[in-house]
Amino acid sequence: MSDAVLLDINDKIATLTINRPDARNAMSVEILEAMHKAVDSLADTQTSVLVITGAGRAFCAGMDLKAVLIELSGDPAMGERLLTSLAELTLKIRKLDQVTLASVNGAAIGGGCGLTCVCDVTVTHADAKLGFPEVDLGICPAVIAPWVVKKLGAGVARKAMLMGGVMSGQQAFHIGLVDQLAPDRDGLETLTHQIADRLASGGPKALSATKSLLNKLDGSLEESLVMQGAQLSASVLATPEAQSALAARMKQ
Amino acid sequence: MIQTERQDEVVILSLARPEKRNAMLPEMLDTLHHAIESNNSARAIVLLGLGKVFCAGFDLKACAADSSGGTMRSLLSGLSGCVRAMRECDAPIVLGVHGAAVAGGCALLGGADVVLADRDAKLGYPVTLIGVSPVVSAPFMLAAMRPGVVRTRQLDPDLIGAARAYEIGMVHELVESSEQVRERAIEIGITLANKPGHGCRTTKRWLNAICDVSDERIKTGLEGSLSLTGGDEERERLAALWG
């Protein structure tokens, strides 16, 4: 396995760390493949909680702009491949028996923020940056929208995704994007351990049964919606409007 | 009854019966419906009210004066059509509440993408008090808020403050005073208008698709409210209000 993702197993708690700190853990083909592998491997463990976090200062900066900018990648199909892989990964994470806890150590942007919404519980600290700036870049967060709507409720999700931009951990906590807030970055590690231990204290069967029922009740098993979202995001991503906005962002 | 202005690429529509707290008449809702549809290709739409409050709801004096119940029926159908047109409009819609958004005025929130209000504004659906059911707006509220919250707000005739409305997701942003609502709403409208258009419109359409308010639900809600119209309870309570 590459070191793009680290998977640490400690008794009942697995911790997946996205490990490309110099690229703010942006989702490249390599990262997504490594995440798929790590998540698949949990089936062979006795864990009941999965913590997802990022190495370095960011949690995950979203899609790797270098990969989705056609003039740089030279591959017009790359965007669709990445988005499909992200869609499949989110569906896989949602269906895990393990309860998932996103520990947002720093920026969680776009697809990275969508990744937190698919998790069962999200914690961060007041100064983290979260949000969905896709529309600012002429792209469309359709692939993650089903998870954002389930996390925030449709009205608040609509505002967050149409207005774009990013918000602080504090604001994210206010709108329900984050479930618990550590006072600062250092406090987040302690809080994450506390919550992971508390979650792991539940009976594994009771936890996975509850999770699977909640998935049925809230429409999380409607895979076609997420896959269709990936296609829609990919089609908008390929437009000249989006490509030129992304190119302008890369130059900054 | 609807005032239209433009600022940059934003279309600003205002309910314009300030002397009646922008109480809705069937013609006002028809005009609003038309204005929303004809500005479908605008980059953003801002909806405001002139005068002291955003909107006090249906013009109940006009309803009471029409013993056939026809005015109330037209208002209910017109309201349902307006909210639906707002939702289906390609342009993102910002709605600014200053002072109060009551009953039919509050129902307009169901069609907006971004709602802001001043901290002291009052919002709610006190219409069961006059024998009217607010269920016409339930399909839109259910597509935006938690079901438990919708139930409470539909059945409890109390008005709530904007701060509470913010907590339950009815309002998305608060400003300190009612004088700031217009300026901030237009500012948000300009922010939206400056975003790349295709991505923004596609995002709104996709959000509509995944949180579908089906025609059937809209019809059920409207018929629920219409079924009481012209009945004894409503007639007596309206008459008591204006008699």
Side-chain angles (χ1 to χ4, degrees):
Chain A
M1 201 184 275
S2 79
D3 65 353
V5 158
L6 309 173
L7 187 65
D8 171 65
I9 310 270
N10 186 357
D11 195 15
K12 286 183 177 174
I13 299 170
T15 302
L16 184 163
T17 307
I18 311 174
N19 190 33
R20 280 291 176 266
D22 48 341
R24 302 173 75 223
N25 301 320
M27 289 188 264
S28 58
V29 174
E30 187 198 15
I31 294 262
L32 283 167
E33 277 176 4
M35 288 184 81
H36 272 281
K37 274 189 197 148
V39 170
D40 287 339
S41 73
L42 293 174
D44 305 325
T45 67
Q46 299 296 310
T47 54
S48 52
V49 172
L50 170 66
V51 178
I52 300 181
T53 192
R57 297 193 59 80
F59 174 77
C60 172
M63 303 307 277
D64 181 4
L65 289 188
K66 284 196 288 283
V68 297
L69 196 58
I70 299 169
E71 68 177 41
L72 279 185
S73 73
D75 181 357
M78 178 67 93
E80 187 179 342
R81 230 168 33 242
L82 280 172
L83 286 158
T84 305
S85 176
L86 172 62
E88 287 166 352
L89 178 67
T90 57
L91 288 164
K92 200 178 269 183
I93 291 173
R94 191 67 159 195
K95 285 189 286 187
L96 280 173
D97 282 333
Q98 287 80 1
V99 179
T100 50
L101 168 63
S103 176
V104 180
N105 51 305
I109 310 295
C113 199
L115 188 63
T116 72
C117 290
V118 80
C119 291
D120 301 307
V121 183
T122 300
V123 292
T124 191
H125 57 86
D127 300 327
K129 289 276 176 281
L130 299 93
F132 308 97
E134 282 90 340
V135 289
D136 301 321
L137 295 169
I139 54 181
C140 170
V143 60
I144 51 167
W147 306 121
V148 183
V149 165
K150 284 179 183 54
K151 182 76 185 179
L152 297 181
V156 176
R158 181 175 282 262
K159 191 256 179 176
M161 283 185 285
L162 286 171
M163 284 296 289
V166 292
M167 63 192 106
S168 67
Q170 185 80 45
Q171 287 166 309
F173 175 67
H174 276 298
I175 67 165
L177 184 58
V178 164
D179 302 294
Q180 241 178 292
L181 208 54
D184 52 37
R185 220 183 158 80
D186 295 336
L188 180 63
E189 205 171 324
T190 314
L191 180 65
T192 302
H193 285 309
Q194 263 170 17
I195 296 176
D197 286 343
R198 192 164 76 218
L199 291 169
S201 65
K205 285 203 181 86
L207 288 172
S208 73
T210 304
K211 213 184 133 166
S212 120
L213 192 64
L214 289 171
N215 281 345
K216 258 186 218 157
L217 286 171
D218 76 359
S220 289
L221 305 176
E222 288 168 37
E223 302 198 354
S224 63
L225 211 56
V226 179
M227 299 313 291
Q228 232 178 297
Q231 289 299 315
L232 188 60
S233 288
S235 73
V236 176
L237 178 62
T239 58
E241 179 184 86
Q243 289 291 319
S244 67
L246 289 171
R249 172 60 60 98
M250 275 296 287
K251 286 196 188 101
Q252 276 174 19
Chain B
M1 288 184 202
I2 300 292
Q3 174 190 291
T4 306
E5 307 158 77
R6 273 163 212 282
Q7 186 170 326
D8 300 333
E9 291 193 80
V10 179
V11 172
I12 305 158
L13 303 175
S14 299
L15 309 179
R17 273 187 95 200
E19 73 289 357
K20 298 280 186 190
R21 296 163 60 88
N22 297 318
M24 293 162 160
L25 287 171
E27 307 89 282
M28 180 197 264
L29 290 174
D30 287 348
T31 314
L32 179 60
H33 191 147
H34 179 74
I36 299 284
E37 285 186 346
S38 57
N39 286 297
N40 186 60
S41 55
R43 298 297 296 265
I45 294 175
V46 172
L47 180 57
L48 301 167
L50 299 184
K52 286 201 170 136
V53 300
F54 171 69
C55 179
F58 292 174
D59 187 327
L60 294 178
K61 201 170 178 183
C63 292
D66 178 358
S67 59
S68 75
T71 302
M72 178 70 84
R73 272 193 287 274
S74 301
L75 281 165
L76 288 166
S77 308
L79 179 64
S80 178
C82 259
V83 177
R84 183 181 168 168
M86 288 168 72
R87 204 177 144 83
E88 286 174 1
C89 179
D90 276 340
I93 299 180
V94 182
L95 188 151
V97 176
H98 71 289
V102 178
C106 196
L108 290 177
L109 272 60
D113 300 300
V114 181
V115 179
L116 74 149
D118 69 273
R119 210 171 267 286
D120 297 322
K122 296 275 182 272
L123 301 97
Y125 302 87
V127 298
T128 50
L129 299 175
I130 49 160
V132 172
S133 165
V135 75
V136 60
S137 32
F140 302 103
M141 289 174 79
L142 282 167
M145 287 181 264
R146 284 179 284 126
V149 165
V150 174
R151 190 170 282 261
T152 311
R153 296 277 43 91
Q154 285 264 310
L155 295 172
D156 178 350
D158 241 14
L159 296 179
I160 56 172
R164 177 63 188 150
Y166 175 77
E167 284 169 0
I168 64 172
M170 224 166 149
V171 165
H172 306 126
E173 186 177 315
L174 295 174
V175 292
E176 290 307 314
S177 79
S178 63
E179 290 79 28
Q180 295 168 333
V181 170
R182 180 184 159 93
E183 191 186 340
R184 178 62 188 146
I186 295 172
E187 194 173 86
I188 295 174
I190 292 172
T191 306
L192 284 164
N194 286 336
K195 293 184 193 297
H198 179 66
C200 197
R201 284 190 298 274
T202 310
T203 303
K204 180 166 173 177
R205 282 191 204 137
W206 178 245
L207 288 168
N208 283 345
I210 62 175
C211 314
D212 187 30
V213 181
S214 68
D215 290 351
E216 199 188 323
R217 287 184 126 191
I218 295 175
K219 193 164 159 252
T220 307
L222 175 59
E223 281 171 355
S225 287
L226 285 175
S227 69
L228 297 175
T229 300
D232 293 345
E233 183 178 277
E234 180 198 279
R235 217 171 32 240
E236 282 160 19
R237 286 175 179 244
L238 269 179
L241 200 61
W242 294 100

PDB file of all heavy atoms in Angstrom, chain B residues 94-115:
ATOM      1  N   VAL B  94     -33.078  35.484  -3.200  1.00  0.00           N
ATOM      2  CA  VAL B  94     -32.795  35.920  -1.829  1.00  0.00           C
ATOM      3  C   VAL B  94     -34.041  36.610  -1.304  1.00  0.00           C
ATOM      4  O   VAL B  94     -34.623  37.444  -2.004  1.00  0.00           O
ATOM      5  CB  VAL B  94     -31.636  36.950  -1.810  1.00  0.00           C
ATOM      6  CG1 VAL B  94     -31.309  37.371  -0.385  1.00  0.00           C
ATOM      7  CG2 VAL B  94     -30.409  36.396  -2.518  1.00  0.00           C
ATOM      8  N   LEU B  95     -34.472  36.265  -0.113  1.00  0.00           N
ATOM      9  CA  LEU B  95     -35.656  36.912   0.448  1.00  0.00           C
ATOM     10  C   LEU B  95     -35.254  37.609   1.743  1.00  0.00           C
ATOM     11  O   LEU B  95     -34.638  36.996   2.620  1.00  0.00           O
ATOM     12  CB  LEU B  95     -36.748  35.864   0.688  1.00  0.00           C
ATOM     13  CG  LEU B  95     -38.131  36.378   1.090  1.00  0.00           C
ATOM     14  CD1 LEU B  95     -39.219  35.415   0.605  1.00  0.00           C
ATOM     15  CD2 LEU B  95     -38.252  36.549   2.594  1.00  0.00           C
ATOM     16  N   GLY B  96     -35.585  38.881   1.845  1.00  0.00           N
ATOM     17  CA  GLY B  96     -35.237  39.651   3.039  1.00  0.00           C
ATOM     18  C   GLY B  96     -36.478  39.997   3.840  1.00  0.00           C
ATOM     19  O   GLY B  96     -37.368  40.672   3.349  1.00  0.00           O
ATOM     20  N   VAL B  97     -36.525  39.506   5.083  1.00  0.00           N
ATOM     21  CA  VAL B  97     -37.663  39.796   5.959  1.00  0.00           C
ATOM     22  C   VAL B  97     -37.280  40.924   6.907  1.00  0.00           C
ATOM     23  O   VAL B  97     -36.313  40.796   7.655  1.00  0.00           O
ATOM     24  CB  VAL B  97     -38.034  38.559   6.818  1.00  0.00           C
ATOM     25  CG1 VAL B  97     -39.148  38.911   7.801  1.00  0.00           C
ATOM     26  CG2 VAL B  97     -38.437  37.387   5.943  1.00  0.00           C
ATOM     27  N   HIS B  98     -38.029  42.011   6.866  1.00  0.00           N
ATOM     28  CA  HIS B  98     -37.835  43.027   7.903  1.00  0.00           C
ATOM     29  C   HIS B  98     -39.143  43.165   8.664  1.00  0.00           C
ATOM     30  O   HIS B  98     -40.221  43.111   8.074  1.00  0.00           O
ATOM     31  CB  HIS B  98     -37.372  44.358   7.303  1.00  0.00           C
ATOM     32  CG  HIS B  98     -38.437  45.069   6.523  1.00  0.00           C
ATOM     33  ND1 HIS B  98     -38.878  44.600   5.303  1.00  0.00           N
ATOM     34  CD2 HIS B  98     -39.152  46.190   6.792  1.00  0.00           C
ATOM     35  CE1 HIS B  98     -39.825  45.419   4.856  1.00  0.00           C
ATOM     36  NE2 HIS B  98     -40.014  46.387   5.738  1.00  0.00           N
ATOM     37  N   GLY B  99     -39.039  43.254   9.974  1.00  0.00           N
ATOM     38  CA  GLY B  99     -40.245  43.451  10.792  1.00  0.00           C
ATOM     39  C   GLY B  99     -41.063  42.202  10.991  1.00  0.00           C
ATOM     40  O   GLY B  99     -41.114  41.650  12.084  1.00  0.00           O
ATOM     41  N   ALA B 100     -41.722  41.726   9.937  1.00  0.00           N
ATOM     42  CA  ALA B 100     -42.585  40.560  10.105  1.00  0.00           C
ATOM     43  C   ALA B 100     -42.840  39.863   8.778  1.00  0.00           C
ATOM     44  O   ALA B 100     -42.912  40.503   7.726  1.00  0.00           O
ATOM     45  CB  ALA B 100     -43.922  40.991  10.723  1.00  0.00           C
ATOM     46  N   ALA B 101     -42.950  38.551   8.863  1.00  0.00           N
ATOM     47  CA  ALA B 101     -43.406  37.734   7.736  1.00  0.00           C
ATOM     48  C   ALA B 101     -44.434  36.786   8.332  1.00  0.00           C
ATOM     49  O   ALA B 101     -44.092  35.841   9.031  1.00  0.00           O
ATOM     50  CB  ALA B 101     -42.255  36.953   7.116  1.00  0.00           C
ATOM     51  N   VAL B 102     -45.693  37.095   8.097  1.00  0.00           N
ATOM     52  CA  VAL B 102     -46.754  36.384   8.791  1.00  0.00           C
ATOM     53  C   VAL B 102     -47.619  35.629   7.788  1.00  0.00           C
ATOM     54  O   VAL B 102     -47.900  36.135   6.689  1.00  0.00           O
ATOM     55  CB  VAL B 102     -47.624  37.393   9.594  1.00  0.00           C
ATOM     56  CG1 VAL B 102     -48.777  36.693  10.284  1.00  0.00           C
ATOM     57  CG2 VAL B 102     -46.765  38.129  10.614  1.00  0.00           C
ATOM     58  N   ALA B 103     -48.004  34.420   8.169  1.00  0.00           N
ATOM     59  CA  ALA B 103     -48.933  33.598   7.383  1.00  0.00           C
ATOM     60  C   ALA B 103     -48.475  33.496   5.921  1.00  0.00           C
ATOM     61  O   ALA B 103     -47.384  33.021   5.653  1.00  0.00           O
ATOM     62  CB  ALA B 103     -50.347  34.152   7.522  1.00  0.00           C
ATOM     63  N   GLY B 104     -49.285  33.996   4.976  1.00  0.00           N
ATOM     64  CA  GLY B 104     -48.898  33.915   3.565  1.00  0.00           C
ATOM     65  C   GLY B 104     -47.549  34.565   3.296  1.00  0.00           C
ATOM     66  O   GLY B 104     -46.792  34.132   2.427  1.00  0.00           O
ATOM     67  N   GLY B 105     -47.216  35.588   4.062  1.00  0.00           N
ATOM     68  CA  GLY B 105     -45.916  36.254   3.910  1.00  0.00           C
ATOM     69  C   GLY B 105     -44.793  35.312   4.304  1.00  0.00           C
ATOM     70  O   GLY B 105     -43.738  35.260   3.673  1.00  0.00           O
ATOM     71  N   CYS B 106     -45.034  34.543   5.346  1.00  0.00           N
ATOM     72  CA  CYS B 106     -44.029  33.590   5.819  1.00  0.00           C
ATOM     73  C   CYS B 106     -43.929  32.413   4.844  1.00  0.00           C
ATOM     74  O   CYS B 106     -42.856  31.834   4.651  1.00  0.00           O
ATOM     75  CB  CYS B 106     -44.410  33.118   7.219  1.00  0.00           C
ATOM     76  SG  CYS B 106     -43.087  32.311   8.100  1.00  0.00           S
ATOM     77  N   ALA B 107     -45.057  32.083   4.202  1.00  0.00           N
ATOM     78  CA  ALA B 107     -45.059  30.967   3.254  1.00  0.00           C
ATOM     79  C   ALA B 107     -44.113  31.229   2.077  1.00  0.00           C
ATOM     80  O   ALA B 107     -43.557  30.286   1.505  1.00  0.00           O
ATOM     81  CB  ALA B 107     -46.471  30.724   2.732  1.00  0.00           C
ATOM     82  N   LEU B 108     -43.917  32.509   1.726  1.00  0.00           N
ATOM     83  CA  LEU B 108     -43.012  32.826   0.607  1.00  0.00           C
ATOM     84  C   LEU B 108     -41.581  32.356   0.877  1.00  0.00           C
ATOM     85  O   LEU B 108     -40.819  32.107  -0.051  1.00  0.00           O
ATOM     86  CB  LEU B 108     -43.017  34.338   0.317  1.00  0.00           C
ATOM     87  CG  LEU B 108     -44.301  34.909  -0.304  1.00  0.00           C
ATOM     88  CD1 LEU B 108     -44.180  36.436  -0.460  1.00  0.00           C
ATOM     89  CD2 LEU B 108     -44.590  34.281  -1.668  1.00  0.00           C
ATOM     90  N   LEU B 109     -41.228  32.211   2.164  1.00  0.00           N
ATOM     91  CA  LEU B 109     -39.879  31.748   2.501  1.00  0.00           C
ATOM     92  C   LEU B 109     -39.595  30.380   1.884  1.00  0.00           C
ATOM     93  O   LEU B 109     -38.448  30.045   1.595  1.00  0.00           O
ATOM     94  CB  LEU B 109     -39.691  31.654   4.028  1.00  0.00           C
ATOM     95  CG  LEU B 109     -39.227  32.904   4.769  1.00  0.00           C
ATOM     96  CD1 LEU B 109     -40.190  34.062   4.609  1.00  0.00           C
ATOM     97  CD2 LEU B 109     -39.003  32.611   6.240  1.00  0.00           C
ATOM     98  N   GLY B 110     -40.666  29.593   1.696  1.00  0.00           N
ATOM     99  CA  GLY B 110     -40.512  28.244   1.154  1.00  0.00           C
ATOM    100  C   GLY B 110     -39.983  28.201  -0.271  1.00  0.00           C
ATOM    101  O   GLY B 110     -39.522  27.158  -0.724  1.00  0.00           O
ATOM    102  N   GLY B 111     -40.026  29.345  -0.971  1.00  0.00           N
ATOM    103  CA  GLY B 111     -39.547  29.360  -2.342  1.00  0.00           C
ATOM    104  C   GLY B 111     -38.168  29.991  -2.487  1.00  0.00           C
ATOM    105  O   GLY B 111     -37.623  30.036  -3.584  1.00  0.00           O
ATOM    106  N   ALA B 112     -37.627  30.491  -1.357  1.00  0.00           N
ATOM    107  CA  ALA B 112     -36.368  31.238  -1.447  1.00  0.00           C
ATOM    108  C   ALA B 112     -35.164  30.332  -1.215  1.00  0.00           C
ATOM    109  O   ALA B 112     -35.250  29.338  -0.509  1.00  0.00           O
ATOM    110  CB  ALA B 112     -36.373  32.368  -0.423  1.00  0.00           C
ATOM    111  N   ASP B 113     -34.032  30.699  -1.810  1.00  0.00           N
ATOM    112  CA  ASP B 113     -32.804  29.936  -1.613  1.00  0.00           C
ATOM    113  C   ASP B 113     -32.012  30.444  -0.417  1.00  0.00           C
ATOM    114  O   ASP B 113     -31.340  29.678   0.256  1.00  0.00           O
ATOM    115  CB  ASP B 113     -31.944  30.017  -2.880  1.00  0.00           C
ATOM    116  CG  ASP B 113     -32.691  29.439  -4.069  1.00  0.00           C
ATOM    117  OD1 ASP B 113     -33.043  28.261  -4.011  1.00  0.00           O
ATOM    118  OD2 ASP B 113     -32.961  30.177  -5.033  1.00  0.00           O
ATOM    119  N   VAL B 114     -32.079  31.756  -0.183  1.00  0.00           N
ATOM    120  CA  VAL B 114     -31.397  32.350   0.963  1.00  0.00           C
ATOM    121  C   VAL B 114     -32.388  33.292   1.643  1.00  0.00           C
ATOM    122  O   VAL B 114     -32.984  34.141   0.985  1.00  0.00           O
ATOM    123  CB  VAL B 114     -30.153  33.160   0.529  1.00  0.00           C
ATOM    124  CG1 VAL B 114     -29.451  33.755   1.745  1.00  0.00           C
ATOM    125  CG2 VAL B 114     -29.193  32.305  -0.286  1.00  0.00           C
ATOM    126  N   VAL B 115     -32.565  33.119   2.954  1.00  0.00           N
ATOM    127  CA  VAL B 115     -33.501  33.974   3.688  1.00  0.00           C
ATOM    128  C   VAL B 115     -32.730  34.724   4.759  1.00  0.00           C
ATOM    129  O   VAL B 115     -32.009  34.116   5.548  1.00  0.00           O
ATOM    130  CB  VAL B 115     -34.608  33.131   4.373  1.00  0.00           C
ATOM    131  CG1 VAL B 115     -35.549  34.034   5.157  1.00  0.00           C
ATOM    132  CG2 VAL B 115     -35.379  32.316   3.341  1.00  0.00           C
TER     133      VAL B 115
END
